[in-house]
C-alpha cells in the first residue's frame, strides 16, 4: 500500500520515528503540503495522514485508490467526512494522546497569569535597584480557595480539575443542555449566568461546535467579575477575539492566557497580537507538543492503520 503523510512537520521536529507506519507499505512524508499540491501528492495513495491539510470533496472524489484518511489529531473538521463516507473511505482520528501535557500547560498558564511570573521575569534587571529585598510592583493572586469554572469535562477538562482541586481550588462546571456527562458528579453544574459570574478562573476544554462557537463573547465577558481570568487551550473559535481584546483593554476582566486562535499562525494585525493589551499571555498552540504526546500520537496513527488492515477500524468519525 502507498501511505502519504501530508504535513509531517506538524508532529516531527526531527525527534519522531515513523518506522511503525512504514511497516504497512511505502511511506512518503512531506513536511507541509499546500492546497494546490494536495491532489498530486495523494492521487495514488491508499492511506493518507493529515493534521491540518484540508481534504475536501473534490480531492476525495479525484483520489483513485484512497481507502483510509487518518487525522493525526482529535479534531477532524479539515476533512469532508460526508464525501468520504459516500466513497466508502474510512476517516479515523487519534484521541486522548495529549491529556497530560495539555492539563500541565493549562495549569502552568493559570499559575503564570495569577502569579504575574511573566512580568517579573521580564523585569529581572530592575531587581538590583529595588530599595527593599523584594519587589511588590505586580499584584500576585493565590489560586487556593478560588472557583475554577470548567467548560467541558472530558479527559482534559477533568484532569485539569483534578490537579486544580489538589491545589485547593473549588471546581464548578458549565451545565450543557442535553448533556448526560457524569464525570465527577460531585462538581457543581451551573447555568451560564451563575457560572460566568461566580468563576474566578474559567478554562475552556471543549470541541468547537456550532452551538458553542464564540461562547466567550461580549455578553459572557460582561457577566464575569473584573477580577476573573480566562484560559483557552482548546479551540480559538470558542472566543470572540475582538470582544476579549476589548474586555482586557477596558479591564472588564483581570487577564487571559490563550494557546489557540481562530487563525494560526495569526496575522501580525490580529487584534490579540497587540502588545499593549494588558495581562494577556499567548503561547503558539504548544499545549500539546511534548515529546511524549507526539510519540503517543504516532502510536495512535499506527494503531488506526493496523486495525483498518485487520478489518476492524477504530476511532471512526464517519
Amino acid at each position: 500500500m502507498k501511505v502519504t503523510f501530508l504535513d509531517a512537520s506538524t508532529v516531527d521536529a526531527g525527534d519522531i520515528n515513523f518506522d511503525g507506519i512504514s511497516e504497512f507499505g511505502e511511506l512518503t512524508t512531506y513536511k507541509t503540503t499546500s492546497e494546490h499540491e494536495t491532489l498530486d501528492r495523494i492521487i495514488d495513495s491508499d492511506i493518507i495522514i493529515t493534521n491540518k491539510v484540508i481534504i475536501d470533496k473534490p480531492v476525495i472524489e479525484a483520489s483513485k485508490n484512497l481507502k483510509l484518511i487518518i487525522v493525526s489529531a482529535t479534531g477532524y473538521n479539515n476533512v469532508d467526512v460526508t464525501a468520504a463516507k459516500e466513497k466508502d473511505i474510512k476517516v479515523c482520528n487519534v484521541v486522548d494522546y495529549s491529556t497530560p501535557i495539555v492539563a500541565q500547560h493549562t495549569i502552568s498558564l493559570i499559575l503564570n497569569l495569577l502569579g504575574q511570573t511573566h512580568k517579573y521575569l521580564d523585569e529581572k534587571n530592575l531587581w538590583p535597584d529595588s530599595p527593599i529585598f523584594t519587589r511588590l510592583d505586580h499584584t500576585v493572586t493565590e489560586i487556593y480557595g478560588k472557583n475554577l469554572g470548567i467548560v467541558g469535562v472530558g479527559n482534559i477538562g477533568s484532569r485539569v480539575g483534578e490537579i486544580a482541586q489538589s491545589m485547593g481550588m473549588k471546581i464548578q462546571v458549565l451545565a450543557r443542555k442535553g448533556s448526560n456527562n457524569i464525570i465527577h458528579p460531585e462538581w457543581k453544574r451551573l447555568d451560564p449566568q451563575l457560572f460566568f459570574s461566580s468563576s474566578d478562573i474559567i478554562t475552556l476544554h471543549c470541541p468547537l461546535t456550532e452551538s458553542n462557537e464564540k461562547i466567550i463573547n461580549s455578553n459572557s465577558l460582561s457577566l464575569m467579575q473584573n477580577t476573573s481570568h480566562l484560559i483557552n487551550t482548546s479551540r480559538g473559535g470558542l472566543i470572540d477575539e475582538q470582544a476579549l481584546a476589548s474586555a482586557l483593554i477596558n479591564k472588564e476582566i483581570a487577564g487571559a492566557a490563550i494557546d489557540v486562535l481562530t487563525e494560526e499562525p495569526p496575522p501580525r494585525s490580529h487584534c490579540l497580537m497587540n502588545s499593549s493589551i494588558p495581562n494577556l499571555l499567548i503561547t503558539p498552540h504548544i499545549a500539546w507538543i511534548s515529546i511524549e504526546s507526539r510519540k503517543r500520537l504516532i502510536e495512535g496513527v499506527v494503531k488506526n492503520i493496523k486495525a483498518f488492515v485487520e478489518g476492524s477500524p477504530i476511532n471512526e468519525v464517519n
Side-chain angles (χ1 to χ4, degrees):
M1 290 191 299
K2 291 192 66 174
V3 184
T4 303
F5 199 152
L6 291 169
D7 50 357
S9 66
T10 59
V11 175
D12 181 30
D15 50 4
I16 296 295
N17 190 316
F18 294 131
D19 288 351
I21 301 175
S22 299
E23 292 179 6
F24 296 97
E26 177 190 344
L27 173 64
T28 302
T29 63
Y30 298 97
K31 289 185 176 181
T32 60
T33 297
S34 64
E35 182 179 355
H36 73 272
E37 294 172 326
T38 304
L39 185 55
D40 285 341
R41 291 183 173 182
I42 71 169
I43 193 69
D44 296 321
S45 299
D46 299 283
I47 299 173
I48 61 174
I49 305 166
T50 173
N51 185 300
K52 291 292 185 289
V53 176
I54 294 174
I55 310 299
D56 57 17
K57 185 173 183 177
V59 167
I60 289 170
E61 291 182 340
S63 301
K64 299 183 294 184
N65 301 326
L66 190 56
K67 302 175 183 66
L68 174 65
I69 300 170
I70 296 180
V71 182
S72 57
T74 301
Y76 50 88
N77 57 311
N78 57 317
V79 177
D80 189 329
V81 294
T82 301
K85 187 172 184 178
E86 289 172 355
K87 287 200 65 178
D88 196 28
I89 298 169
K90 301 296 184 184
V91 181
C92 302
N93 66 345
V94 183
V95 298
D96 200 24
Y97 59 91
S98 63
T99 297
I101 187 60
V102 176
Q104 174 181 312
H105 191 72
T106 301
I107 296 297
S108 173
L109 289 176
I110 293 172
L111 295 176
N112 275 282
L113 192 60
L114 274 71
Q116 300 285 285
T117 315
H118 57 293
K119 293 182 180 179
Y120 284 112
L121 287 172
D122 283 344
E123 297 173 355
K124 66 180 180 180
N125 292 330
L126 298 181
W127 193 8
D129 298 325
S130 177
I132 58 174
F133 74 96
T134 185
R135 293 184 62 224
L136 303 175
D137 300 75
H138 308 294
T139 301
V140 171
T141 305
E142 295 181 358
I143 64 171
Y144 185 85
K146 299 295 192 298
N147 291 326
L148 178 67
I150 303 177
V151 181
V153 282
N155 292 328
I156 296 173
S158 296
R159 186 65 187 129
V160 168
E162 291 161 2
I163 296 170
Q165 193 168 42
S166 73
M167 300 174 75
M169 298 194 75
K170 302 171 185 177
I171 311 302
Q172 53 193 39
V173 178
L174 177 65
R176 182 168 61 87
K177 186 177 181 180
S179 173
N180 57 2
N181 188 319
I182 58 172
I183 298 175
H184 285 289
E186 74 278 13
W187 293 346
K188 294 183 294 185
R189 266 64 174 175
L190 304 180
D191 65 73
Q193 175 87 25
L194 184 56
F195 175 83
F196 285 108
S197 62
S198 65
S199 295
D200 297 299
I201 303 166
I202 291 175
T203 182
L204 309 180
H205 299 289
C206 52
L208 178 63
T209 65
E210 290 184 4
S211 63
N212 66 22
E213 184 175 7
K214 294 186 179 180
I215 191 172
I216 303 300
N217 51 50
S218 57
N219 180 57
S220 53
L221 287 164
S222 69
L223 294 173
M224 293 173 64
Q225 307 166 56
N226 60 10
T227 55
S228 296
H229 295 80
L230 174 69
I231 313 293
N232 187 15
T233 55
S234 187
R235 293 289 183 267
L238 295 170
I239 295 177
D240 180 332
E241 293 163 338
Q242 187 60 64
L244 175 58
S246 297
L248 289 168
I249 291 170
N250 295 323
K251 298 183 179 180
E252 294 172 18
I253 65 172
I258 56 180
D259 184 60
V260 287
L261 294 171
T262 52
E263 184 178 353
E264 298 173 347
R268 295 188 183 278
S269 59
H270 191 286
C271 62
L272 292 179
M273 296 302 289
N274 184 342
S275 59
S276 67
I277 296 178
N279 286 336
L280 173 62
L281 294 181
I282 295 182
T283 52
H285 205 139
I286 60 169
W288 71 282
I289 68 165
S290 69
I291 181 63
E292 296 89 350
S293 173
R294 288 181 288 121
K295 285 181 177 178
R296 284 192 295 266
L297 176 56
I298 295 305
E299 289 169 1
V301 170
V302 171
K303 288 178 182 177
N304 281 345
I305 297 176
K306 185 175 186 293
F308 173 78
V309 170
E310 293 176 349
S312 303
I314 57 175
N315 298 319
E316 290 184 66
V317 297
N318 68 332

